[in-house]
Amino acid sequence: MRIMGIDPGLATVGYGIIDYYKNEFKTFDYGAVLTAAGKKTELRLEEIYENIEELIKTSNPDAVSIEKLYFNTNEKTAVNVCQARGVILLAATRNKIPVFEYTPLQIKQAVTGYGRAEKKQIIYMVTKILNLKKEPTPDDTADALAMAICHAYCSDSMLFEMKERS
């Protein structure tokens, strides 16, 4: 199964594409889509959409894994993340790729075994699980890879299979 994990944002969209088969991981691609701060928001969103759609078309994932939204105190950041997330979901939907959402707690638990893990622990475990030569940067890329790993583990479980059938 090929899984694309995405960490949405307006300035930086982290992505990670992995293959998962019989409890083994292989990294296909990872990186970040970066948009310029001085650009109009709608042009940045268009750039995100086009880049994610191109990644979907070139990698042909079976699933997209994305973090469930949660709101902190910074409303402007939340709005920007929501807008970026919207164009990402649109790109996946238009390409008929199912989207799966996970909470930060679920992602951390799946990758580190501890739902309150710190960023350094997540980056360390992503690097080890995927047998990467160096830590993925920026942090958004490591988060996206963690989302893909989370989906791999969750889709492998009986609970996920039962949920899919209902």
Side-chain angles (χ1 to χ4, degrees), residues 131-145:
N131 200 27
L132 302 175
K133 292 187 187 329
K134 61 181 184 169
E135 293 180 346
T137 58
D139 290 354
D140 309 84
T141 300
D143 290 344
L145 287 165

Side-chain angles (χ1 to χ4, degrees), residues 12-33:
T12 306
V13 177
Y15 67 87
I17 305 164
I18 62 171
D19 291 321
Y20 181 72
Y21 182 70
K22 293 189 177 181
N23 210 28
E24 288 189 24
F25 290 97
K26 187 175 179 185
T27 307
F28 180 81
D29 190 18
Y30 60 91
V33 175

Side-chain angles (χ1 to χ4, degrees), residues 93-110:
T93 301
R94 293 196 82 186
N95 287 279
K96 304 197 180 348
I97 309 299
V99 176
F100 299 87
E101 300 178 67
Y102 300 96
T103 66
L105 187 89
Q106 288 172 307
I107 296 163
K108 291 174 183 181
Q109 180 72 39

